[in-house]
Amino acid sequence: MKQILLKNGFIVTMAEGHETVYDGGSVLVEDGNIKAVGRIDPKTVAPDAEIMDLNGKYVLPGFVNTHVHTSQQISRGVGDDVDFVTWLHKRMWPFESSMTEEDSYISTLATCLEMIKTGVTSFAEPGGQFVSGMCRAVAKSGLRAKLAKSVMDCGEGLPAVWQRTMEEELEQQVLDLEKYHNTADGRVQVWFGLRTIFNNTDGLCVKTKELADKYGVGIHMHVAEAKEEKEYTYARWGEGTVQHLESLGILSPNLLAVHTVWLTDEEIALFKKRDVKVSHNPASAMRVLGFARIPKMLSEGICLSIGTDGASSSNHMDMVDEMWLTSLIHKGWRLDPTVVPSQDILRMATRWGARALLDDKLYGSLESGKKADLIVIDPQGPSMMPVNDKIAALVTAMHSENITCSMCDGKWLMKDRKILTLDEDAILAEGTARAAAIYKRAGIELPIRFPVVKISREKKLF
Ligand SMILES: [Zn+2]
């Protein structure tokens, strides 16, 4: 029996039904699970328990990032200041289609580094090409993940290597699922993916739903993402993406719909009726997609969560930044500073995120019997101190640098900002080298924004 006691902290439980905060409280972890929260009976603490005195630091459930493209991590910068079609056809598709399985592995490790440092303990990946590479990386990192393949069986301009039939795409996903689902002590799970309505036939959507139900897993899909998508679906079917998915029977509690920017009132009502889960990605939406109707969805009681999207579209794989953006952008476009309050944003980033991943029984809150997935926050420092409204400060003032420790499945992933499961320097060096090689292979040239003069070391005078 291995026990860890975190004592004398500000424990924000996010527990379903009461959301109690314990000031001066403790969390007792035993064999990967939370045994007790709040006031701990000393008799229940084993003499050989590891004890951490929090000295007033905060403890929160680990954040759940419900949409992050791990294969795009080493492409970072590839999409800066370009339009959507250029980004997709001239930058992102050439980059991702030039990646190897090992590139995907290293890129996923690099994403895991950033996620651990920014408080994430669980995430959902919508699809690189190599589920095997992603699985290896997640297993090593100590994080939890729902991994999916990027699935496309139609659409214009796809790289040759990605032109596949419905049968091929389904077969590959079933193979991945049977091989990798519930590996790494159950931390790694495999879901089905649907890329977008542009790249998925109706037949594929229907079969995917059947298989997801058969295996009891979720479906991860970009839905009503861009204005172009809305124009396309209305021209083709006379209805929006969500209405079309309803007509196919896809809308259901195991659908994780990402972005969901261009929804009508009727489509929001359909989400509510079918208990569809939503991943809100404010940074990438701000770049090119538009404003998702989060205040309306909140008032309708839809299960909302937060994602960072990929480094090629938002650069920051940082849930703390995404929470802060979520707290700002809706107030701005609604001209109403009371909408989307901090406590709702914390719910989105923790318990509701776990629910979106169909895991709310397992994690997302600090409660006895749940998995020990948690983070420690030290508010000390000029950017967060003084802390007056403690709960709001976690959204409006905290920076990811305030997150000092992270635990997943009862194991420490980071202590005092040092990652314990991965070699940070080696991964970043390898990721940098592989990124340069892929840019070259894919023939991607970035603009020269300022003239650069290279000065060699030998000739440098001082
Ligand atoms: Zn995405």
Side-chain angles (χ1 to χ4, degrees):
M1 184 178 75
K2 156 103 171 128
Q3 280 193 346
I4 303 171
L5 176 69
L6 295 90
K7 66 173 192 180
N8 189 26
F10 188 78
I11 316 295
V12 183
T13 65
M14 303 306 296
E16 178 91 56
H18 56 85
E19 298 181 323
T20 306
V21 174
Y22 296 101
D23 194 353
S26 305
V27 181
L28 181 62
V29 173
E30 185 176 294
D31 293 334
N33 296 315
I34 295 172
K35 188 175 163 68
V37 182
R39 188 177 286 118
I40 308 285
D41 180 354
K43 291 199 284 291
T44 61
V45 182
D48 63 345
E50 176 189 337
I51 296 177
M52 175 183 277
D53 190 342
L54 296 163
N55 201 17
K57 294 189 188 78
Y58 298 56
V59 180
L60 240 66
F63 296 134
V64 183
N65 182 347
T66 57
H67 186 70
V68 52
H69 292 259
T70 63
S71 293
Q72 295 178 2
Q73 185 77 354
I74 60 174
S75 74
R76 180 178 270 145
V78 81
D80 290 344
D81 304 328
V82 293
D83 65 83
F84 184 68
V85 174
T86 306
W87 173 80
L88 197 63
H89 290 242
K90 300 228 164 68
R91 301 284 182 85
M92 210 50 249
W93 283 356
F95 188 95
E96 274 197 276
S97 64
S98 301
M99 291 181 85
T100 64
E101 200 260 6
E102 191 68 10
D103 291 331
S104 170
Y105 169 64
I106 298 294
S107 188
T108 303
L109 285 177
T111 324
C112 292
L113 287 178
E114 188 172 9
M115 285 197 283
I116 293 171
K117 289 221 150 175
T118 55
V120 169
T121 51
S122 182
F123 67 94
E125 217 287 352
Q129 289 302 313
F130 303 103
V131 171
S132 55
M134 297 193 287
C135 280
R136 283 196 287 140
V138 177
K140 194 169 177 178
S141 73
L143 291 167
R144 289 181 201 285
K146 313 283 185 189
L147 305 173
K149 181 184 177 299
S150 174
V151 171
M152 294 177 277
D153 69 336
C154 66
E156 293 192 7
L158 282 177
V161 64
W162 287 354
Q163 290 177 17
R164 300 201 190 97
T165 64
M166 176 178 83
E167 289 76 18
E168 286 168 335
E169 289 291 52
L170 292 171
E171 197 180 324
Q172 181 63 51
Q173 290 183 93
V174 170
L175 281 175
D176 286 339
L177 198 141
E178 290 185 343
K179 192 163 180 190
Y180 299 110
H181 190 57
N182 275 329
T183 54
D185 301 326
R187 288 184 289 106
V188 171
Q189 298 197 338
V190 178
W191 275 22
F192 286 88
L194 289 170
R195 188 77 184 201
T196 68
I197 202 91
F198 290 117
N199 296 109
N200 297 137
T201 59
D202 287 355
L204 177 74
C205 293
V206 171
K207 289 268 184 220
T208 299
K209 169 72 177 144
E210 283 172 19
L211 285 168
D213 289 348
K214 179 183 160 192
Y215 285 97
V217 299
I219 304 168
H220 197 149
M221 182 179 192
H222 300 83
V223 174
E225 184 176 7
K227 188 158 167 274
E228 291 84 348
E229 179 174 334
K230 185 171 186 175
E231 288 160 1
Y232 169 82
T233 63
Y234 272 87
R236 188 155 177 201
W237 297 294
E239 58 189 1
T241 303
V242 173
Q243 288 165 310
H244 189 62
L245 293 176
E246 168 73 355
S247 73
L248 297 175
I250 311 296
L251 299 186
S252 60
N254 64 346
L255 177 65
L256 175 60
V258 182
H259 298 307
T260 65
V261 175
W262 297 88
L263 299 189
T264 61
D265 283 352
E266 192 191 342
E267 290 179 310
I268 289 174
L270 280 171
F271 270 15
K272 175 66 184 164
K273 185 176 166 192
R274 302 290 183 205
D275 192 20
V276 172
K277 312 303 191 297
V278 167
S279 176
H280 176 43
N281 297 202
S284 84
M286 287 287 282
R287 176 181 275 188
V288 70
L289 306 177
F291 296 99
R293 298 173 65 198
I294 298 301
K296 168 82 175 164
M297 289 190 238
L298 257 181
S299 67
E300 297 292 322
I302 288 166
C303 179
L304 295 169
S305 64
I306 298 177
T308 56
D309 211 349
S312 66
S313 48
S314 67
N315 289 310
H316 296 215
M317 299 301 98
D318 185 334
M319 282 289 283
V320 178
D321 290 347
E322 298 290 325
M323 290 199 298
W324 183 59
L325 279 176
T326 303
S327 81
L328 288 176
I329 66 173
H330 304 290
K331 298 179 193 319
W333 77 275
R334 299 302 308 140
L335 289 177
D336 181 356
T338 67
V339 300
V340 197
S342 296
Q343 57 273 31
D344 277 336
I345 294 169
L346 284 175
R347 290 175 186 130
M348 290 165 76
T350 59
R351 193 177 73 243
W352 293 353
R355 194 168 161 240
L357 301 195
L358 309 175
D359 271 348
D360 44 330
K361 297 269 185 295
L362 284 182
Y363 53 84
S365 59
L366 304 178
E367 294 178 79
S368 171
K370 286 205 169 177
K371 296 283 183 188
D373 291 11
L374 55 84
I375 55 175
V376 177
I377 292 154
D378 183 359
Q380 202 63 41
S383 60
M384 199 168 165
M385 295 284 283
V387 184
N388 296 309
D389 184 338
K390 289 188 173 181
I391 296 299
L394 294 168
V395 173
T396 57
M398 178 166 81
H399 293 257
S400 47
E401 287 75 15
N402 293 108
I403 299 168
T404 55
C405 303
S406 160
M407 178 187 285
C408 182
D409 215 25
K411 296 185 183 69
W412 290 111
L413 305 185
M414 176 172 74
K415 268 188 176 176
D416 299 327
R417 302 279 307 150
K418 169 141 181 62
I419 294 180
L420 305 176
T421 49
L422 302 172
D423 183 338
E424 188 170 343
D425 291 344
I427 292 166
L428 294 179
E430 178 80 16
T432 303
R434 283 178 181 272
I438 299 168
Y439 267 84
K440 203 168 175 189
R441 277 205 302 279
I444 300 168
E445 290 195 22
L446 299 183
I448 297 168
R449 296 172 190 266
F450 290 123
V452 176
V453 177
K454 275 198 177 173
I455 300 172
S456 68
R457 279 185 189 281
E458 302 78 57
K459 288 182 189 154
K460 218 158 60 170
L461 297 176
F462 57 85

